[in-house]
Amino acid sequence: MSTESLRSTIPPFYVMDVWKAAAERARSHGDVLVLAAGQPSTQAPAPVLRATRAAVDHELLGYTETFGILPLREAIAGHHSETYGYDVHPDEVVVTTGSSGAFTLIFLAAFDVGDTVVVARPGYPAYRNTLSALGCRVVELDCGPQTRFQPTVAMLEALPEPPAGLVLASPANPTGTMIDPAELAAIARWCETHGTLLISDEIYHGITYAGASTPTSSAWEFSRGAVVIGSVSKYFSMTGWRLGWMLAPAHLRPALQRLASNMTVCPPAISQYAAVHAFGPEAKDELDGHVRRYATNRALLLEGLPALGITDLAPADGAFYAYADIGHLTSNSLEWCARVLAETGVAVAPGLDFDTERGLRTIRFSFAGATNDISAALDRLSTVMSPNNFP
């Protein structure tokens, strides 16, 4: 009997265990409030749903071009041009099976076993874990409040040698912080000078809030040698449709074509035909309405959590997360979250996914749900916010 591969022995994605436990709580008690899910609580926009029905009736829904159907690549190119002011040709767009598929493809296309790739800590765990499974050496930059949880050129300069790649996210998961455009420009220049591939995770673009300390910027504003990752999951409210994309430099596209055609053939056809209609004005009006609700929910949390004694919060300028240090409550956030779910029916994500060093004292709240759920969750949490509850 064969054993599991060494590459499969990466850490689990702990938030998925929270989701499973929350589903069990919903079945047994019917009272769960999920503030752990990194996804919108709304359907895809109405034009997308109409297009889906039309595609079922009129399209073959067979294999498509490996990099995606031309109308979708044109829509994505137009979206970037309209949003950021830089020109994108449809041939520069690579449509993928979710942004997760985009990351796996670019990691395989650009890095060899043993290559060093740098990521921020705290950060999205799948960067670190996927790179490790592919045999890369992952170096984490300790990005704390002093740099608004974002990497800097000074951190890169302090490395013993330039890495093969750098992955950054703005707005970031789990902190919701955004990188200053000037710093992003400086990082892009540094990467070009040192032969480091900059991979910019921009899947939360579109979800930002009034009063943010910095505007949203895209890596392709500063470097066409970078790779930009996008997705219909977050702002577009289409997580389960499993559709993402990347803007890829010409020298990487042949490798991406070879890998994608063998590994996935093409992204899901029905999602492609539907997503063409996610970029129009009707859809964006609906989606911007979701962002206004997120803003209301964010304000509730940023006021309510300090009232409960949780005061050490990352600046949630974008995305739909509040990242908090709860070291005054527990030294094991994994156990604390499980017990809070059991006692109150409120599900939040332990920080262990996002920070390999300080994650046992941090948690992530998602405020992408209904406003009433946020208010109710704060009320329930008030009953357990004491170190004496969970020693």
Side-chain angles (χ1 to χ4, degrees), residues 326-346 348 360 363 380-391:
I326 58 165
H328 63 294
L329 296 173
T330 183
S331 59
N332 188 333
S333 63
L334 191 64
E335 179 181 319
W336 188 89
C337 290
R339 295 180 69 179
V340 164
L341 177 61
E343 292 288 333
T344 71
V346 176
V348 296
L360 283 175
I363 56 176
R380 293 190 199 178
L381 290 172
S382 67
T383 65
V384 296
M385 285 300 174
S386 166
N388 297 325
N389 289 110
F390 303 130

Side-chain angles (χ1 to χ4, degrees), residues 11-282:
F13 198 176
Y14 290 101
V15 75
M16 303 308 295
D17 294 335
V18 175
W19 286 6
K20 179 180 178 181
E24 292 172 353
R25 170 81 185 200
R27 288 191 292 269
S28 62
H29 291 68
D31 66 345
V32 72
L33 297 173
V34 181
L35 276 65
Q39 65 175 356
S41 57
T42 46
Q43 283 190 320
V48 170
L49 297 178
R50 292 197 299 268
T52 303
R53 298 181 188 103
V56 169
D57 289 337
H58 303 296
E59 299 292 346
L60 175 63
L61 300 179
Y63 296 134
T64 72
E65 296 176 57
T66 294
F67 282 176
I69 61 174
L70 180 58
L72 178 56
R73 289 185 284 115
E74 289 175 334
I76 292 169
H79 166 72
H80 280 271
S81 298
E82 177 183 340
T83 304
Y84 308 105
Y86 53 70
D87 291 332
V88 180
H89 192 279
D91 287 349
E92 295 174 304
V93 178
V94 177
V95 181
T96 59
T97 306
S99 62
S100 299
F103 281 111
T104 301
L105 281 175
I106 193 59
F107 293 164
L108 283 166
F111 308 133
D112 285 314
V113 172
D115 280 352
T116 297
V117 182
V118 172
V119 300
R121 187 183 69 242
Y124 181 55
Y127 307 147
R128 178 182 70 244
N129 295 340
T130 303
L131 286 163
S132 296
L134 296 176
C136 292
R137 175 177 173 264
V138 180
V139 172
E140 296 181 304
L141 300 178
D142 187 6
C143 299
Q146 68 279 5
T147 64
R148 295 180 56 78
F149 299 93
Q150 291 286 349
T152 66
V153 169
M155 293 177 186
L156 297 174
E157 290 283 3
L159 296 171
E161 59 183 8
L166 164 66
V167 183
L168 63 79
S170 175
N173 179 8
T175 60
T177 62
M178 298 192 295
I179 193 167
D180 182 79
E183 189 68 45
L184 180 56
I187 287 174
R189 289 193 298 270
W190 190 94
C191 288
E192 285 190 342
T193 299
H194 292 85
T196 297
L197 179 65
L198 171 59
I199 301 173
S200 180
D201 182 348
E202 302 180 6
I203 71 170
Y204 289 96
H205 278 211
I207 308 175
T208 57
Y209 305 103
S213 63
T214 185
T216 306
S217 54
S218 172
W220 264 31
E221 295 176 52
F222 311 113
S223 172
R224 289 303 185 104
V227 172
V228 169
I229 306 292
S231 170
V232 299
S233 288
K234 307 302 182 178
Y235 170 74
F236 296 95
S237 196
M238 297 173 63
T239 50
W241 300 66
R242 308 315 301 137
L243 201 71
W245 69 85
M246 69 179 100
L247 307 184
H251 72 278
L252 288 170
R253 292 200 293 271
L256 292 167
Q257 171 74 33
R258 292 192 297 270
L259 288 164
S261 62
N262 279 284
M263 295 177 69
T264 59
V265 180
C266 65
I270 193 165
S271 298
Q272 293 187 63
Y273 284 105
V276 172
H277 300 268
F279 300 93
E282 182 186 353

Side-chain angles (χ1 to χ4, degrees), residues 272-361:
Q272 293 187 63
Y273 284 105
V276 172
H277 300 268
F279 300 93
E282 182 186 353
K284 288 187 177 182
D285 284 347
E286 183 178 340
L287 297 169
D288 287 344
H290 300 334
V291 177
R292 289 191 291 272
R293 174 170 48 83
Y294 303 154
T296 299
N297 295 352
R298 170 182 178 269
L300 279 174
L301 273 183
L302 295 186
E303 179 181 346
L305 291 175
L308 297 177
I310 298 178
T311 59
D312 192 351
L313 299 166
D317 288 340
F320 34 58
Y321 305 119
Y323 191 62
D325 190 311
I326 58 165
H328 63 294
L329 296 173
T330 183
S331 59
N332 188 333
S333 63
L334 191 64
E335 179 181 319
W336 188 89
C337 290
R339 295 180 69 179
V340 164
L341 177 61
E343 292 288 333
T344 71
V346 176
V348 296
L352 190 59
D353 270 330
F354 311 105
D355 192 324
T356 56
E357 292 197 2
R358 292 184 290 274
L360 283 175
R361 58 178 295 142

